[in-house]
Every structure is written in structure tokens, then in C-alpha cells.
Amino acid sequence: MEKELRREIILDNYQNPYNKKTIEDSSYIKINTNNESCIDNLDIYFKVEGGFIKDAGFNGEACAISTSATSIMLRGLIGKSISEVKELLKNYINMINEKEYDQDLLKELNVYDEIYLQPNRKNCALLPARAVEKMLKEIENAG
Amino acid sequence: MNREDFEMLKQDIIYFDNSATTLKPKSVVDSITDYYTKFTSNAHRGDYKTSLKVDTLYEGTRDKVKDFLNAESSNEIVFTSGTTNSLNMVVFGFAKYNLKPGDEVIITKTEHASNVLPWLELADELGIRIKYAPLDENLKLRTEDLLKVITPNTKIVSLAHVTNTVGDIRDLEGIGKMLKERNIYFVVDAAQSAGHRKIDVQKMNIDFLAFSAHKMCGPTGTGVLYGKEKLLEKMRPINYGGGMNNFFESDGSREYKSIPTLFEAGTQNIEGVIGLGAAIDYLEAIGFDEIEKHEKELRDYLIDKLSTIENIDVLNKNSEAGNVLFNIKGIFPQDTAIYLDHYNICVRAGNHCAKLLKEELGIKNTCRISLYLYNTKEEIDKLIETLKNSKNIFEVVI
Ligand SMILES: Cc1ncc(COP(=O)(O)O)c(C=O)c1O
């Protein structure tokens, strides 16, 4: 992706993040993501119904990469089935870790395709992915 | 000053994270290398020449630390793995056995995690109460304000000498006198002050004091617990094993060594202790008055310069030590740190392990610059220039 466009998308999602608000509705699953290697701290909310992500939002304090990645990812997840979410997640994590992935599937998330060049920011880009993983586990545990 | 002594400074970096750990001068590195290349052997087993040499250096460092703190006796100096370890020994080796339910320990909200969490744990375990002394409008502790929380149940006051965030310097002499008059134990976390200013445990009436070698030009994994002799006698070891016992039998009878060896079970961090000795020699040769003067001059210069930049908030303009906290308005501190790193300027972003501070400051995270003897005005000028040009920050960090 072209550098300018990449930056524009990231910055736009940082400055105008998608659905950035606290959601106090018990039908949402709340996941706190505390990035161990840095100081990002976001609460992410997912509404899951009938095996689909119906809605998602987040709030908290985080750096430009974490915030934008969360914004882009959540927007991309809404409407997806759990199995689609798993597929997307796998491909996203692969991309961040320089492994094979399906570019078409990731759409706007491709803006992080060169984050591996800054190893100290990989965790920032992975922050929403860790939250989605936790969410999936909670759904599984809930049976 | 003394920049030529620091190998790390030969790289193109500006190191402003001295509260986290300091750089090491060549003499310290050499002292450790010598141990591994010229006289490797264990301590306290002086049956042959090299081991005697190690013993001499190890115990010699104890004497150096005694003088460094002006302790009464070398028996009052225990080697530990660092401040965290030392403070845990005070809490779980001393306080646990000498306090009772209902007793009170006073700390502040600007303490480092290692002077908060052990106390909170003991409070749960033993039923003691942890109280926070009030801070003034600059988040400093005024000596007389301690009186607002001291009660007849107060048994211990445990404070950082210098805080690693706000950078206030506690009046140890005044506090020590106040506590002595009231028979309250005084525990001092000197992690941020040893290596920066003179400490005198007798003049300051300090009962226990903890510091880390790595924050004062020494190696990581080594520190000191100072304790008054009669208090160390009342402290129990946390670790039991080799080196600290006189004998033990299968029927359970056993006898332990006397202080301070009692608290040094197992093979110790010998290279670390030797390195600490070299660090003390190094710093004393420069002189603490010089170091203090240099840091103060740099700090005033830094705060002045930072204050001239419009979009910078300095959060502790009244810092008394070498730490300055700032944020670029509207920029998450981690992004600022990443931006500065792009220009090889090392600063720390975060809450600096003082997580209670957010309740007072209203801000969770900041960028921290912490200065030391080898920093210069030229480095500060470069930082200022880089911050002034930070309008393009997102072009750099994204
Ligand atoms: C005030 C203060 N106390 C305690 C510590 C803990 O020191 P260490 O990690 O060496 O045990 C630090 C280190 O950051 C500190 O700044």
C-alpha cells in the first residue's frame, strides 16, 4: 500500500475512531486489554447474537497504532459470523508476524502490513487481536 | 561530565532514562570482567588465593557501603537483589513479625509499586492498616503533613527519598527526627537517591533503607538493605539454605549465622557486589556535591526550555530532582517516546510504576526525562529542537 494512503487511514482512525465510547449494556461482552509491553489500556465491547457480531465499540487510552487498529478491526468485524471472525483474526496475526495471509480478506487492515519494520509496535497493532481472542474464548467457555 | 567513561555514549544516542537504570562506566564493567577472567570463585570459601580475593572484595564492598551510608557497622549492610527485594525483606521479614493487627503503616500515593504492593499484601495477611499521607498541591510530601495521619497506632512510615515521578526530595532528617520522637520505624526507599545525593542513615534516623546498584552506575540484580543492627536482629530471613547456617540435624535442630550473613542464603551475586563497590568508588571520586549540582543545573535548564514550547505541558515544574514529566498536548505519551526514539533520544513513557499517582495527578501516563551526571545541555538542546519540530510526529511514528 502506498505510504501516504496508509498514514491517512491510520491517522483518520486515530483521530476519529469508530464507535469510541463506553457501552454500559449488559448484553455486550466487555474485554479489557492491557498491553503488557506498553501502556495502552482499552476496554472493548462486543455484542454477539446468534453467532454473529452485531455491534462493537471501545474506549480508553492508547497510542496511535493501537487505537487505529482497534477502530479499523471493530468496524470490519461487525456483521461477521464467529467463523469469519476467526479466519480474519488468523490472517491478521499472520500478517503482523510476517507470515502468509489473505490480503483480500483483511481490507483496510492491510495498512499494518509493514508494521514488522518497527518491532516495538507489533504489540500495539496486535492489541485488538488479543481482545478478539479473549472474546472468542469467553463465548466458547459460555458454551 | 565524564562522558568518556561511558562506552554506551560512543553510540549516537541521548540517554534520558536514568531513573529506570543508569549507564555503566568502564571501571564498573572492568571490575566485573576481572572477576570472570582473573579470579572467578565463590565467596566465603576462602581456602585458596582467588577465593580469598573474592572474599576480600565482597566484604570490602560491605565496608564501602557502610561508609557510603554512614552506617554504624558493616553488620548493618545486607546484600540483596535490589530495592524491590530489600523492601520485601523489610515487610515480610521484619514487619510481619513485629507488627500486629490494627497497627498502621504510612506511605504515599507517589510511592513506587515496590513500596506499595508488599504493604498491601501484608495488610491482607496480618490485618494492619495502610494509610496515605496527604500531598501538597505539587504532589510533594510536607514533613508536617505526616502528623495529620500519624496516630498512636502508627508503627512504620515507609517513604521514597526521591520519587521517580514528581521528583520531590523528602526531608529525611526532619521526618527521621519526628518519627524517632514517636517511636515509629522509618523505612526509606533510596532507589532514586543513592548515587545522586549524600545519605546519612544516622543523621537521618533511618531504621531501614533500600537501594539498587543499577540506578547508580552499578550492575543490575544487586542492591542493599541497610537495617539498624538491633532491628536486623529482630528480622527473619526470607530465604534459607547454604551460607546462612552454622549447623542443622535430621532431628530439626539447627543454628543460623548472625547478621548480615543470615540474610544472604545461597551463592550471592558476587559480580554484582564487586560492581557495586566499583560504582561507589567511581561516584565518590566525582563527589555527590558535584553530581547534585550538575543535575540541578540541567534540570532547571530543561524545564526552562520545555516551558518555552507552546504545545508542551510540563507536569512537575517544581521537580527537585532530575526527573521531568511532560506531554505533548493531544499526543499519547507512547507516541511521543516512539517519535523521540526515531531521533535516538531515549525517554520513558508510562506511569513509571507509580500507579496510585493517577488518582492525584489526574493523568495516567506521561513522558519522563531523568537526568544524570553524563547528560549535557547540548543533549537537552537537541531534545528541545526535536520537540519543536514535532508537528510532523505522525509522519514519523506511523
Ligand atoms: C522509587 C523507586 N523505588 C523502587 C524501585 C525498584 O527498584 P528495582 O527495580 O531496582 O528493585 C524503583 C525503580 O524504578 C524506584 O524508582
Side-chain angles (χ1 to χ4, degrees):
Chain A
M1 191 181 285
E2 196 214 324
K3 206 171 163 68
E4 266 317 301
L5 180 63
R6 183 188 283 133
R7 183 177 297 142
E8 208 175 290
I9 293 173
I10 293 177
L11 206 52
D12 186 42
N13 275 279
Y14 177 50
Q15 286 164 344
N16 311 295
Y18 176 74
N19 243 356
K20 187 157 186 273
K21 56 170 195 257
T22 301
I23 300 177
E24 294 188 15
D25 175 340
S26 62
S27 68
Y28 283 71
I29 301 171
K30 176 176 155 184
I31 305 285
N32 177 264
T33 115
N34 228 326
N35 205 341
E36 283 178 24
S37 68
C38 64
I39 51 180
D40 298 331
N41 193 351
L42 296 176
D43 284 329
I44 306 190
Y45 311 93
F46 299 97
K47 189 181 175 78
V48 186
E49 250 175 35
F52 283 83
I53 308 279
K54 292 286 184 192
D55 190 26
F58 72 109
N59 215 350
E61 274 191 56
C63 69
I65 297 293
S66 296
T67 304
S68 60
T70 306
S71 167
I72 297 173
M73 182 171 289
L74 293 190
R75 191 191 289 123
L77 289 182
I78 292 175
K80 291 215 159 45
S81 71
I82 295 301
S83 58
E84 285 171 325
V85 170
K86 284 184 182 160
E87 198 53 30
L88 185 126
L89 193 65
K90 192 176 87 193
N91 279 280
Y92 180 71
I93 294 173
N94 278 350
M95 175 182 79
I96 302 294
N97 290 322
E98 285 180 88
K99 294 194 191 129
E100 286 219 2
Y101 67 99
D102 181 349
Q103 205 175 341
D104 293 340
L105 201 68
L106 291 184
K107 302 210 172 69
E108 258 194 346
L109 285 170
N110 282 301
V111 293
Y112 304 107
D113 62 356
E114 284 189 359
I115 205 84
Y116 65 86
L117 296 173
Q118 297 169 271
N120 55 354
R121 308 229 74 180
K122 269 166 70 167
N123 277 328
C124 307
L126 284 172
L127 184 105
R130 301 280 173 247
V132 175
E133 276 176 343
K134 271 198 220 169
M135 185 262 301
L136 290 173
K137 214 170 256 158
E138 281 201 14
I139 295 177
E140 242 161 57
N141 290 345
Chain B
M1 49 193 184
N2 294 50
R3 289 177 66 82
E4 62 286 357
D5 298 339
F6 294 84
E7 204 66 25
M8 281 284 293
L9 293 175
K10 295 186 179 147
Q11 305 170 40
D12 175 29
I13 61 158
I14 296 182
Y15 187 75
F16 280 147
D17 194 15
N18 293 291
S19 287
T21 198
T22 64
L23 304 179
K24 321 302 170 198
K26 191 162 180 306
S27 62
V28 168
V29 178
D30 285 349
S31 74
I32 295 167
T33 309
D34 283 353
Y35 168 63
Y36 285 123
T37 53
K38 296 183 183 151
F39 47 88
T40 305
S41 52
N42 215 323
H44 305 304
R45 325 264 150 106
D47 302 332
Y48 45 95
K49 284 190 277 309
T50 50
S51 111
L52 188 65
K53 164 128 184 144
V54 167
D55 253 14
T56 311
L57 279 170
Y58 189 88
E59 291 306 320
T61 301
R62 208 187 297 277
D63 298 338
K64 262 179 213 170
V65 174
K66 169 203 161 254
D67 292 338
F68 173 66
L69 299 176
N70 191 32
E72 240 180 280
S73 140
S74 295
N75 286 339
E76 299 177 320
I77 308 301
V78 181
F79 292 119
T80 69
S81 71
T83 307
T84 303
N85 185 207
S86 303
L87 290 171
N88 273 274
M89 285 165 75
V90 174
V91 176
F92 297 108
F94 178 80
K96 183 172 167 175
Y97 303 106
N98 291 282
L99 265 53
K100 55 180 194 314
D103 283 348
E104 294 169 356
V105 174
I106 295 174
I107 59 173
T108 72
K109 289 190 181 173
T110 39
E111 299 309 311
H112 186 273
S114 59
N115 191 26
V116 179
L117 293 177
W119 294 118
L120 294 181
E121 285 295 323
L122 188 67
D124 286 353
E125 205 178 312
L126 197 64
I128 56 168
R129 267 189 75 196
I130 310 304
K131 290 171 50 173
Y132 299 91
L135 302 172
D136 74 6
E137 63 282 5
N138 294 316
L139 301 180
K140 294 180 183 175
L141 174 67
R142 273 193 290 244
T143 305
E144 64 273 19
D145 283 350
L146 273 172
L147 290 174
K148 294 182 181 156
V149 278
I150 288 177
T151 73
N153 292 327
T154 304
K155 292 287 150 49
I156 294 180
V157 171
S158 185
L159 300 172
H161 184 186
V162 173
T163 56
N164 68 328
T165 46
V166 185
D168 59 329
I169 301 171
R170 272 77 182 263
D171 162 29
L172 296 191
E173 210 177 321
I175 297 172
K177 186 163 174 284
M178 174 193 284
L179 299 182
K180 189 180 176 177
E181 284 162 4
R182 291 167 177 77
N183 276 323
I184 298 169
Y185 297 120
F186 190 15
V187 180
V188 174
D189 164 2
Q192 295 295 341
S193 62
H196 294 261
R197 56 195 58 250
K198 191 79 196 111
I199 294 169
D200 184 328
V201 290
Q202 295 190 66
K203 199 162 129 200
M204 296 166 164
N205 277 306
I206 295 169
D207 293 304
F208 291 100
L209 179 132
F211 68 89
S212 302
H214 73 97
K215 291 182 197 281
M216 49 177 286
C217 289
T220 56
T222 303
V224 165
L225 171 64
Y226 156 84
K228 278 203 184 126
E229 197 155 348
K230 65 176 194 305
L231 299 182
L232 287 184
E233 297 287 0
K234 291 191 196 176
M235 188 167 102
R236 290 215 215 162
I238 292 180
N239 293 321
Y240 295 81
M244 52 77 73
N245 67 79
N246 286 331
F247 73 83
F248 54 96
E249 308 284 348
S250 58
D251 67 1
S253 61
R254 56 199 185 273
E255 187 183 285
Y256 297 141
K257 291 202 164 141
S258 49
I259 66 162
T261 321
L262 172 66
F263 303 111
E264 295 175 6
T267 295
Q268 294 296 294
N269 187 346
I270 298 168
E271 59 155 283
V273 170
I274 291 174
L276 169 62
I280 292 176
D281 287 343
Y282 181 79
L283 294 172
E284 285 184 340
I286 298 174
F288 287 104
D289 290 344
E290 279 301 306
I291 295 172
E292 209 182 318
K293 198 174 110 214
H294 179 75
E295 268 179 34
K296 181 174 180 310
E297 197 177 314
L298 286 185
R299 180 206 59 222
D300 290 346
Y301 185 76
L302 171 63
I303 291 179
D304 269 1
K305 293 270 170 175
L306 276 177
S307 306
T308 64
I309 311 179
E310 206 182 314
N311 62 337
I312 300 266
D313 285 326
V314 180
L315 297 149
N316 62 338
K317 283 205 168 124
N318 295 299
S319 174
E320 295 160 340
N323 330 336
V324 177
L325 303 178
F326 74 96
N327 273 329
I328 306 181
K329 288 195 175 92
I331 304 288
F332 193 63
Q334 200 190 2
D335 287 323
T336 306
I338 299 257
Y339 167 75
L340 292 172
D341 177 50
H342 186 78
Y343 300 97
N344 295 330
I345 302 175
C346 312
V347 306
R348 175 80 169 268
N351 50 52
H352 320 296
C353 291
K355 298 199 183 195
L356 298 175
L357 183 60
K358 64 176 184 291
E359 297 173 14
E360 297 292 321
L361 198 59
I363 295 172
K364 268 193 217 141
N365 295 306
T366 56
C367 290
R368 179 183 69 192
I369 293 166
S370 45
L371 304 160
Y372 204 26
L373 56 100
Y374 34 72
N375 289 123
T376 63
K377 286 190 178 166
E378 290 70 38
E379 290 179 324
I380 293 175
D381 290 339
K382 269 191 204 155
L383 167 84
I384 296 296
E385 214 38 50
T386 312
L387 286 172
K388 275 188 180 158
N389 293 331
S390 65
K391 294 212 166 42
N392 70 341
I393 182 163
F394 288 115
E395 282 166 37
V396 173
V397 302
I398 295 177

